Amino acid sequence: MSISPPAQTATPASLVHGYVAEGFESVREEFVRNLRERDELGGAFCAQVNGTPVVDIWGGTADAGTGRPWESDTLEMIFSASKGIVAITLLVLVDRGRLDLDAPVAHYWPEFGAAGKSAITLRQVITYTAQLPGIRASVSQDDIQDPRAMAELLAGQAPESDSRAEGILYGPFTMGWIVAEVVRRVDGRSIDRFFAEEIAGPHGLDIHFGIPAEHEHRVARLEYGQNFLDQYTGFFTSGDALTQRIWQNPVPFPHEEMIWNRSSRRTSLVPAANVFGTARSLSALYGILAADAVRTPGEPYVLVSRAVADDARREYVRKVDQLINIPMVYGGAGFRLRTTPRPGADGDSFGHDGGGGSAHLAWPGAGVGVSYVTNRLIAVGPDDKRAGSLLKALAAKLNETTAGLPDAR
């Protein structure tokens, strides 16, 4: 197998553009099938092995209203995959000795200790075991664009006493607001500025917490796809008080509007939900983590030491979320882990997916960083085979042979 320098050329199919290394053509074929058969609108997929791209492709439509095509530098919001970027930001501070995930949040943010929260740790917050999945005060779509105000509300409220909050209870927003406030208290910079100056900038990554206004023209326009809103109907209309606090305050995906296309929502800071990036940069970031996770202890590293990486991807909690009835496994830093580790290139994966279908992962044993971004949101499960088809094709090739791949060192 040979790997040539990436070239920005169209494939013969004229549907997909970019670069595919020899032997990885099956990944491109699945991307074409996504566009032709699986309700894909536009998207990009990138996989890097030990820092070298083996697949870097994009295609389809970035804006269905104007017909604007998806380009090599098109940016997309990754929704809850933003939580993986929050985790990475935290880990850099942990590695520098500025934070301890097992310390109480109130150690860094004294006001947070009110209403019985003095013992809640950062690790509990990022693994959804802190019993703080939603906000009790009524908040609007505009309100959630002010992270300082949301942090103040969370500091004053008590943890959930509902028995369903024991174990894992996932929420779409609160983890990001708590972590962002801790970062600000410890470092003095907002989480978006810290990430830009300490992680994205130094490593040339086109990833942003909220999109700078001057780059908004590069963002793909989102739209609801097949059965996406139907999967949330029970949560968005429920009369159950706990469900209302998590999923209706406010509704993250209103039927009447794709609110995430608003300029104000794109350019504001909603840390757990509105990170933007290209598949190329997101795969590069997870590739750095994949490499750091398997370095010899004491060996020079790029983002985090082997000890910090080991702790981050060690299983911390395995539970069924009692509200959404989905089994979840979280590592110590809030990354989602495989429910069952297995042999093979992707068997030790960690990272975070995003609502509507995006996926962003490190495969440490294979030295892989991988990312898939899309602008058509499809219901999780059997309705959406887009990311799964790409990841399976990639893993199959890597499992077949590793001969000729560049070495991590």
Side-chain angles (χ1 to χ4, degrees):
M1 182 192 312
S2 63
I3 296 180
S4 304
Q8 308 303 312
T9 57
T11 67
S14 299
L15 288 172
V16 180
H17 305 266
Y19 167 77
V20 178
E22 181 182 341
F24 288 85
E25 293 84 1
S26 61
V27 181
R28 181 176 56 201
E29 290 167 6
E30 291 300 331
F31 197 97
V32 171
R33 289 188 66 192
N34 285 348
L35 289 164
R36 287 178 169 167
E37 304 171 16
R38 297 176 179 138
D39 199 32
E40 182 68 285
L41 178 60
F45 181 83
C46 188
Q48 305 194 27
V49 180
N50 299 327
T52 297
V54 295
V55 181
D56 183 6
I57 55 179
W58 59 90
T61 303
D63 187 328
T66 65
R68 173 167 55 98
W70 200 289
E71 305 285 359
S72 63
D73 66 345
T74 296
L75 292 160
E76 188 52 284
M77 190 185 301
I78 59 175
F79 292 108
S80 284
S82 304
K83 296 173 174 70
I85 311 305
V86 171
I88 292 167
T89 307
L90 265 186
L91 289 179
V92 170
L93 283 164
V94 169
D95 189 80
R96 296 178 183 181
R98 305 288 301 281
L99 288 174
D100 180 348
L101 296 182
D102 293 312
V105 174
H107 175 72
Y108 307 105
W109 174 12
E111 297 90 335
F112 183 85
K117 302 193 302 301
S118 60
I120 290 176
T121 67
L122 267 174
R123 199 183 301 276
Q124 289 175 307
V125 169
I126 59 181
T127 57
Y128 312 98
T129 56
Q131 298 177 264
L132 290 168
I135 287 184
R136 288 182 172 271
S138 179
V139 296
S140 70
Q141 296 286 0
D142 289 338
D143 290 337
I144 67 168
Q145 296 169 185
D146 184 343
R148 296 277 299 275
M150 296 301 96
E152 185 176 347
L153 289 176
L154 283 163
Q157 78 177 47
E160 293 289 349
S161 58
D162 191 303
S163 62
R164 291 172 293 176
E166 297 172 5
I168 292 174
L169 188 60
Y170 180 82
F173 300 124
T174 54
M175 170 269 218
W177 291 321
I178 295 169
V179 171
E181 184 64 13
V182 170
V183 170
R184 190 183 71 83
R185 298 277 177 139
V186 168
D187 182 75
R189 287 174 285 183
S190 60
I191 192 171
D192 55 331
R193 183 180 166 198
F194 179 90
F195 180 82
E197 295 177 355
E198 301 294 335
I199 302 174
H203 299 289
L205 301 173
D206 196 2
I207 305 172
H208 316 267
F209 275 95
I211 194 67
E214 62 269 26
H215 293 297
E216 193 176 358
H217 68 282
R218 296 166 50 205
V219 174
R221 187 171 181 82
L222 292 155
E223 67 173 49
Y224 296 132
Q226 183 177 339
N227 298 331
F228 179 73
L229 290 176
D230 293 344
Q231 71 183 330
Y232 291 109
T233 298
F235 299 110
F236 295 169
T237 62
S238 174
D240 173 68
L242 179 61
T243 302
Q244 290 176 335
R245 285 193 288 276
I246 301 171
W247 295 106
Q248 299 176 33
N249 191 34
V251 170
F253 297 108
H255 279 69
E256 63 275 11
E257 178 189 2
M258 170 49 82
I259 200 165
W260 300 92
N261 284 329
R262 287 185 183 178
S263 181
S264 61
R265 180 61 59 88
R266 289 172 169 177
T267 57
S268 62
L269 174 59
V270 188
N274 80 332
V275 166
F276 291 79
T278 64
R280 183 181 301 130
S281 284
L282 289 160
S283 66
L285 178 58
Y286 275 103
I288 292 170
L289 281 185
D292 283 347
V294 294
R295 297 187 193 281
T296 302
E299 180 185 352
Y301 54 89
V302 178
L303 276 181
V304 296
S305 67
R306 174 64 183 270
V308 169
D310 283 350
D311 180 64
R313 65 192 189 104
R314 183 180 297 117
E315 182 177 319
Y316 176 72
V317 61
R318 176 186 294 263
K319 294 281 186 181
V320 174
D321 185 304
Q322 294 187 59
L323 200 64
I324 61 179
N325 196 33
I326 294 177
M328 295 186 177
V329 183
Y330 283 100
F335 295 116
R336 284 184 176 165
L337 309 181
R338 296 197 66 87
T339 53
T340 306
R342 64 188 185 195
D346 60 343
D348 59 353
S349 69
F350 69 90
H352 214 292
D353 54 350
S358 75
H360 318 276
L361 301 161
W363 299 352
V368 170
V370 61
S371 173
Y372 163 70
V373 296
T374 177
N375 60 342
R376 176 169 282 159
L377 310 187
I378 298 177
V380 68
D383 285 337
D384 191 5
K385 297 180 174 64
R386 295 170 300 169
S389 69
L390 296 165
L391 296 172
K392 287 176 183 176
L394 175 66
K397 182 58 187 177
L398 292 173
N399 290 335
E400 177 185 313
T401 177
T402 58
L405 291 176
D407 187 84
R409 297 180 184 84

